[in-house]
Amino acid sequence: MTVSAVVYSEAGIEEYDDLAAAKAAEGTTWVRVHEADDDEISAVADTFDIHRLAVDDVVNEVRPKTEEFAAYTFVLVKTAELTRGETTFDEEIREDPVGVFFGTDWVLTLAPRADDPIGRVWNAVVRGDERLLQRGPDFTAYRIIDVIVDEYFTLLDRIGDGIEAIEEEVLTTTDIEVLEAINTVRRDLLSFRKLAWPTREALSVLARGDSGYVGEATEKYFRDVYDHLVHVVDLVETYRDLVSGARDIYLNTLSQSSNEVMKVLTVIATVFLPLTFIAGVYGMNFSGGPYNMPELGWTFGYPAVMLGMALVGLVMVWAFRERGYV
């Protein structure tokens, strides 16, 4: 089913098929909507008098936020996970929006796609978790958001492992694959940063107690989630600095490698420069006049020139080695 309803209290749990009956029942009503079509979403929104613009925010995947309405509080958060890219084989962050609406005695979760983190909280309610049964809808909303935020740390752990691998590789190789891995991690961190910052701002509203539907006893739990998000943002910034440092090391290593190659080529060219001059001079082969080369008629002219060229080359190589050029 894409629309499920349950009513729970300290007395017990009861599942409903009729949304209106579930809303009118005694206790806390939780309606879970996921992967539903437009008609199902509209029916749920009409039953709980949810503003259409709030529903559109969830469906159209706007940035995370918190809004106050007369009869409920609306929180838009997003799940995040690393998945195989649709156009490349690299992993990239996939975001799925989740709308959490909660009033005096009801909670409504709206997820256009899969809502696995919400499913864990739902299963806890169905199993009869006393912490959830004994508290109101604001605590249930906290648990849903808390589970989603906890998933951020799992994602950051995977990114952190990738950064550690990159830091080891940049010191030993200049393969282009290393640069591609660095750019992939930078793209993931930038994408996740755009998610983490507005989520932190949205949770600050609930942590401060600005919502009329968050009880005083539950504010401390939202403050805890807010602290987690502060930590998430700090980790993102730290990882971005580490990746930037790894990229700088890679570029410096690549530049140094190129300089070494250019230095060797320069030495070789410099060694052959005088040899080329000598070969050019003795390659003119002028003879038969008073101003021609006397060596052209000498029996040992050729081996003498070759020996001289070898000595010049050896002396230059020795001089370069003495100066640390090779």
Side-chain angles (χ1 to χ4, degrees):
M1 294 179 62
T2 57
V3 179
S4 307
V6 66
V7 178
Y8 58 93
S9 64
E10 296 183 39
I13 309 157
E14 186 175 358
E15 296 185 11
Y16 283 80
D17 294 329
D18 188 343
L19 295 181
K23 181 181 178 182
E26 292 291 334
T28 299
T29 301
W30 181 1
V31 176
R32 177 187 175 193
V33 184
H34 63 102
E35 298 179 325
D37 57 33
D38 292 339
D39 293 337
E40 291 174 316
I41 293 175
S42 297
V44 174
D46 292 340
T47 301
F48 289 86
D49 197 22
I50 303 297
H51 200 287
R52 186 63 201 180
L53 290 178
V55 175
D56 290 342
D57 287 343
V58 179
V59 175
N60 296 325
E61 303 184 25
V62 301
R63 70 199 305 265
K65 63 178 181 177
T66 296
E67 289 186 356
E68 283 292 309
F69 291 86
Y72 57 88
T73 295
F74 165 51
V75 183
L76 174 60
V77 292
K78 293 185 177 182
T79 62
E81 63 176 340
L82 281 173
T83 59
R84 184 72 66 181
E86 295 181 359
T87 57
T88 67
F89 292 104
D90 296 328
E91 287 187 327
E92 56 188 37
I93 294 179
R94 189 188 72 181
E95 302 174 2
D96 289 327
V98 175
V100 182
F101 306 82
F102 59 98
T104 305
D105 59 355
W106 59 272
V107 181
L108 168 64
T109 55
L110 174 59
R113 292 187 288 274
D115 62 347
D116 294 337
I118 298 176
R120 293 199 289 274
V121 184
W122 177 273
N123 292 334
V125 170
V126 174
R127 289 195 307 267
D129 188 328
E130 293 184 358
R131 293 187 63 197
L132 290 166
L133 301 187
Q134 294 173 359
R135 300 174 186 266
D138 54 348
F139 186 81
T140 301
Y142 146 74
R143 286 290 297 127
I144 295 169
I145 297 172
D146 183 51
V147 169
I148 293 174
V149 172
D150 285 343
E151 292 290 318
Y152 294 170
F153 287 101
T154 302
L155 183 147
L156 286 175
D157 285 342
R158 292 181 60 183
I159 292 178
D161 293 340
I163 293 175
E164 290 181 3
I166 289 172
E167 288 178 332
E168 293 177 359
E169 291 181 355
V170 293
L171 298 176
T172 59
T173 180
T174 56
D175 291 342
I176 191 62
E177 289 79 6
V178 177
L179 181 60
E180 292 174 354
I182 291 173
N183 290 333
T184 297
V185 174
R186 290 182 70 248
R187 183 180 64 248
D188 290 341
L189 287 172
L190 178 60
S191 176
F192 190 66
R193 184 176 185 271
K194 293 179 179 180
L195 168 65
W197 274 95
T199 303
R200 189 181 72 166
E201 295 174 3
L203 266 293
S204 67
V205 176
L206 304 175
R208 291 194 305 263
D210 293 346
S211 172
Y213 293 96
V214 175
E216 185 176 351
T218 310
E219 288 179 13
K220 59 184 178 183
Y221 294 103
F222 279 111
R223 284 196 295 269
D224 181 66
V225 178
Y226 177 78
D227 291 340
H228 289 172
L229 283 167
V230 171
H231 188 198
V232 166
V233 172
D234 289 343
L235 280 176
V236 171
E237 298 301 329
T238 300
Y239 285 169
R240 291 185 70 199
D241 291 340
L242 290 176
V243 172
S244 296
R247 184 182 62 174
D248 292 341
I249 293 174
Y250 174 85
L251 294 177
N252 289 337
T253 303
L254 184 63
S255 176
Q256 184 178 0
S257 177
S258 300
N259 290 339
E260 290 295 327
V261 173
M262 291 302 298
K263 184 167 66 175
V264 172
L265 294 177
T266 301
V267 168
I268 294 174
T270 305
V271 169
F272 276 90
L273 184 63
L275 307 184
T276 304
F277 172 75
I278 295 173
V281 169
Y282 282 92
M284 290 186 292
N285 297 324
F286 294 128
S287 63
Y291 302 107
N292 295 325
M293 299 177 182
E295 296 88 349
L296 293 178
W298 184 32
T299 304
F300 300 101
Y302 176 74
V305 171
M306 295 301 296
L307 179 61
M309 293 172 66
L311 289 175
V312 170
L314 290 174
V315 169
M316 294 189 68
V317 171
W318 173 82
F320 285 136
R321 287 182 64 86
E322 286 294 311
R323 291 167 173 76
Y325 295 159
V326 293

